[in-house]
Amino acid sequence: MPEQRRIIFKHIDEPGYTNDIACYLRNGGYEVLKKAVQRKPEELIDEVKKSGLRGRGGAGFPCGVKWGLVDRKSGKPIYLIVNADESEPGTFKDRYIIHQDPHQLIEGIMISCFANNVKQAYIYIRGEFPIGARILEKAIQEARDNNFVGQNILGTGYSCDIFVHRGAGAYICGEETGLIESLEGKRANPRIKPPYFPAVLGLYQCPTIVNNVETLCHVKHIAEVGGEAYSKIGTPGNTGTRIYCVSGHVKRPGYYEFECGKVTMGQLLNEVCGGPRDGRTFKAVIPGGSSAKILKFGERYKGKRKIGADMVDYDWGVEDVPMDFDCLAMIGTMGGSGGVIVMDDSVNMVEALANINAFYSHESCGQCTPCREGSLWMKKITTRMVHGDAREADAALLKGVADQIPGRTICAFGEACSWPTQSFIAKFGDEFKNYHLTKKQEKAPGALELV
Amino acid sequence: MNLKPETFARIDEVITHYPVKRSATLPLLHLIQEDVGFISDEAIEWIAAKLELQPINVYEVVTFYPMFRRKPIGRRHVKVCRTLSCALNGGYKVCDRFKEEFKTELGQVSPDGEVTVEFVECLASCGTGPVVMIDDDLHENVTEQKVTELSAKIRAEAKK
């Protein structure tokens, strides 16, 4: 079985490890911050650039590059927002970091704030985590009491505070500009970018960095070991570790941390997660949160990939794909937020898509017509299909609607809501094509119900 | 606005967290909903005045975010996750069982006034699905048997 390498989740689920500061300090907590504030901020930014760290929120954008884009000459305050609004179905890593190791996050935030001369940080946490919000508030207060947060931190003259801001159940707040609008007290309608990215005009029209919880935890470890050493973890271009959240039809669902790209889908699902349920076989997997394109077991993915200076042929089944950003992109899907949703042969793919479409139509902010109308239309089609009212043209219509959305909306939600439909039809077209011939039948006892 | 003194104190404190008052809209809505149970017209107007906004600015926020309610709910709020990972492991059955236990329909106050059962989108605990949140507490790997136990507990607590 491949060995886990727990960096971020080192103490998660460790017996006796608690979320209060005394426990964190006993385990060497805030030592990295103490050293970091003695360094030059530019050096810390350089370390993050050297580390090759890619954001763990979904897009995989290099963190050092994001920090490098910040407008430092405007004279306006720079804000850091921690995106703890992890709402992508299938993803659940933030919950455990926040509940069990909040100080790791706070230390990462403070190092990042110091590096970027941020005086005010906000943790935007999902509304569904009321206890998580209270844990964070308590942890921040403990950190203030110990002078790791607040005025004149550790006697350096540097001051920075953190406040927790609760969302209220809207998925779109995970999109960074929607999040900023929400933090400003408005509807979370994403902003058009380009031309203005948050790094230039973000919160209150000031330069703003928005980073994911897991990303900021990695910053702490980069500051600890140095960018160079960190970049040796994982694979080139996909450095560090990655937390994979596995859910659905495996024997041992849960969260597992591996070096990026050092574990294949097959190892993860069969060896680590115990394989399919008894008497079942794997049918499909969504590798990076519900918006990522679905993969079909039994299919082969062929092409050429660059390894060092050479171009090498690859011919993979789903089980052979290394779980990193680039390899998953090569086979037409994405690593996204690390949420792996597994479906076995008991699943009716039309029902599974109807479930996903219900989610995205509910969560569209409604700002752009293709997304607002398209997501609802796709939901209506898949819902009527599973209710036995399918029309002959439905599969083609569904694909037609999905194809009209991506690239025509302000934010990436357009892609997020259309990719599932496009990929389900591309991979499981047979199940959709003749659905009108399947009239509504009584479900067998114990059959899945997804809609 | 009739609120507990500690709610007023927290409202005044939370406004200081932001350089622009409007940012306190969501926190104020949460605080008032936790205190009163829902967001009334009066609350919308009160928040608008407090944050120097127009009532429409607050109203548009209330109607955008699913967690804010415009009417009271039962004494306990049962939120069942509807999304794929939970559904794959029986989330729909769990929801149906809760409805049967309290003889209620989604989004309604049950006839005994005890609960409001709702389907919600992803509760971010997909690895332990199906999950249910009762008020602030998360319950994981919920089976139909566990629904019976949780329902009995809710009823027992109501009688106290």
Side-chain angles (χ1 to χ4, degrees):
Chain A
M1 191 189 296
E3 275 289 303
Q4 283 198 66
R5 177 150 182 191
R6 287 196 166 207
I7 296 179
I8 306 299
F9 271 44
K10 186 176 171 194
H11 296 299
I12 307 262
D13 290 339
E14 189 179 284
Y17 192 85
T18 63
N19 60 22
D20 53 57
I21 198 163
C23 180
Y24 190 67
L25 291 171
R26 271 199 305 280
N27 285 278
Y30 290 108
E31 289 302 320
V32 186
L33 176 67
K34 284 180 196 167
K35 286 190 188 124
V37 292
Q38 302 301 329
R39 299 180 68 179
K40 288 198 179 109
E42 309 84 67
E43 284 175 24
L44 290 166
I45 296 177
D46 260 359
E47 297 284 7
V48 173
K49 280 185 182 161
K50 264 190 257 170
S51 74
L53 174 68
R54 293 170 71 167
R56 300 296 199 251
F61 192 77
C63 181
V65 175
K66 198 177 212 179
W67 288 10
L69 296 172
V70 172
D71 179 3
R72 292 165 211 279
K73 295 192 183 120
S74 66
K76 296 180 194 170
I78 300 170
Y79 290 100
L80 176 101
I81 305 175
V82 184
N83 188 345
D85 190 89
E86 183 181 69
S87 312
E88 178 76 3
T91 320
F92 48 95
K93 56 197 162 74
D94 287 1
R95 171 185 288 283
Y96 300 95
I97 297 173
I98 290 165
H99 277 242
Q100 297 188 35
D101 205 0
H103 284 287
Q104 178 184 203
L105 172 61
I106 292 169
E107 190 171 4
I109 294 170
M110 291 315 295
I111 294 166
S112 307
C113 286
F114 178 76
N116 290 291
N117 196 25
V118 169
K119 303 284 168 59
Q120 181 63 61
Y122 292 99
I123 303 177
Y124 189 105
I125 184 169
R126 311 182 55 170
E128 291 88 343
F129 288 178
I131 293 172
R134 287 201 282 275
I135 289 170
L136 280 172
E137 273 166 1
K138 174 179 159 272
I140 293 167
Q141 191 52 49
E142 288 175 335
R144 270 192 210 113
D145 295 342
N146 283 272
N147 200 216
F148 300 127
V149 172
Q151 297 298 309
N152 189 20
I153 292 164
L154 299 165
T156 55
Y158 171 68
S159 302
C160 177
D161 213 333
I162 310 174
F163 291 118
V164 176
H165 184 97
R166 281 183 70 199
Y171 170 83
I172 197 62
C173 295
E175 198 279 341
E176 61 179 2
T177 59
L179 187 158
I180 288 170
E181 288 284 309
S182 179
L183 190 43
E184 289 183 356
K186 305 172 202 160
R187 290 182 155 215
N189 290 341
R191 298 176 181 171
I192 294 175
K193 54 177 193 179
Y196 297 115
F197 290 87
V200 179
L201 293 175
L203 186 63
Y204 312 126
Q205 299 296 302
C206 296
T208 303
I209 300 166
V210 184
N211 279 148
N212 173 269
V213 167
E214 190 189 343
T215 313
L216 289 164
C217 291
H218 277 288
V219 170
K220 182 208 142 170
H221 298 282
I222 291 165
E224 184 174 11
V225 301
E228 191 74 37
Y230 182 92
S231 71
K232 304 234 162 45
I233 307 170
T235 50
N238 291 272
T239 59
T241 57
R242 187 103 229 253
I243 298 159
Y244 302 102
C245 308
V246 186
S247 63
H249 292 152
V250 286
K251 279 194 184 132
R252 288 191 295 274
Y255 37 83
Y256 303 97
E257 187 173 358
F258 288 95
E259 286 191 46
C260 229
K262 293 276 177 82
V263 62
T264 63
M265 181 73 86
Q267 286 173 316
L268 180 67
L269 300 188
N270 289 313
E271 296 172 34
V272 181
C273 296
R277 301 181 296 175
D278 291 332
R280 293 289 180 190
T281 51
F282 288 141
K283 182 174 186 179
V285 59
I286 304 174
S290 66
S291 60
K293 291 188 176 177
I294 196 165
L295 300 172
K296 182 181 182 180
F297 281 84
E299 268 196 344
R300 304 220 54 95
Y301 304 90
K302 295 178 186 177
K304 283 187 187 297
R305 64 190 288 224
K306 204 172 176 187
I307 296 181
D310 306 323
M311 291 302 282
V312 180
D313 289 320
Y314 67 85
D315 178 6
W316 290 327
V318 174
E319 294 88 343
D320 309 319
V321 185
M323 295 289 289
D324 67 33
F325 291 107
D326 295 335
C327 291
L328 288 165
M330 268 187 272
I331 61 166
T333 182
M334 64 175 182
S337 57
V340 181
I341 307 173
V342 189
M343 284 166 262
D344 68 23
D345 57 347
S346 67
V347 179
N348 173 326
M349 299 316 276
V350 180
E351 289 191 9
L353 180 62
N355 181 290
I356 293 175
N357 283 348
F359 175 83
Y360 286 103
S361 67
H362 182 266
E363 299 298 333
S364 170
C365 83
Q367 194 178 193
C368 313
T369 310
C371 169
R372 181 185 66 240
E373 303 297 322
S375 61
L376 188 64
W377 196 356
M378 292 191 294
K379 177 203 159 178
K380 281 182 177 169
I381 300 169
T382 44
T383 305
R384 78 172 172 236
M385 288 175 86
V386 295
H387 288 156
D389 301 320
R391 301 167 193 172
E392 195 172 351
D394 273 351
L397 177 61
L398 200 51
K399 185 179 178 305
V401 176
D403 288 346
Q404 295 302 317
I405 306 170
R408 293 182 170 90
T409 56
I410 285 173
C411 82
F413 190 99
E415 280 77 20
C417 77
S418 53
W419 283 343
T421 296
Q422 287 177 322
S423 63
F424 270 67
I425 292 182
K427 307 274 177 183
F428 298 96
D430 294 351
E431 289 190 41
F432 285 80
K433 219 177 224 168
N434 293 318
Y435 220 77
H436 64 288
L437 301 174
T438 320
K439 289 296 163 200
K440 193 177 182 184
Q441 291 170 346
E442 278 299 313
K443 287 205 167 211
L448 284 177
E449 208 171 325
L450 299 175
V451 187
Chain B
M1 199 57 200
N2 192 13
L3 299 171
K4 294 183 189 118
E6 57 266 34
T7 308
F8 282 119
R10 289 203 60 199
I11 283 172
D12 287 334
E13 202 258 321
V14 88
I15 294 171
T16 66
H17 294 182
Y18 308 95
V20 176
K21 275 187 174 183
R22 185 174 185 170
S23 279
T25 308
L26 263 74
L28 260 54
L29 287 165
H30 275 303
L31 286 168
I32 290 175
Q33 184 162 282
E34 277 160 23
D35 188 321
V36 186
F38 70 106
I39 305 296
S40 61
D41 287 348
E42 185 197 8
I44 289 173
E45 281 162 27
W46 188 85
I47 292 172
K50 186 86 184 163
L51 299 179
E52 294 163 28
L53 301 168
Q54 294 302 317
I56 184 68
N57 301 136
V58 181
Y59 182 74
E60 66 180 2
V61 170
V62 173
T63 53
F64 184 86
Y65 296 91
M67 285 177 73
F68 297 127
R69 307 182 284 270
R70 296 284 280 130
K71 55 183 187 192
I73 53 166
R75 275 188 290 275
R76 309 297 295 274
H77 195 185
V78 178
K79 290 163 275 186
V80 183
C81 180
R82 193 210 60 82
T83 317
L84 187 59
S85 300
C86 284
L88 286 170
N89 287 307
Y92 274 75
K93 282 210 175 67
V94 164
C95 190
D96 283 345
R97 287 287 297 118
F98 269 114
K99 280 158 54 185
E100 285 162 27
E101 283 281 351
F102 292 96
K103 300 182 180 55
T104 188
E105 289 303 316
L106 288 181
Q108 307 293 316
V109 179
S110 61
D112 59 2
E114 207 43 55
V115 303
T116 293
V117 179
E118 263 185 351
F119 247 154
V120 294
E121 299 298 345
C122 196
L123 289 172
S125 191
C126 319
T128 54
V131 292
V132 175
M133 249 178 114
I134 300 178
D135 301 331
D136 284 356
D137 296 324
L138 188 79
H139 300 272
E140 301 166 279
N141 297 308
V142 179
T143 55
E144 291 182 69
Q145 169 65 28
K146 209 162 167 183
V147 173
T148 311
E149 291 162 22
L150 288 168
S151 303
K153 197 162 167 253
I154 289 173
R155 285 194 207 95
E157 283 165 356
K159 282 177 193 152
K160 280 177 194 167

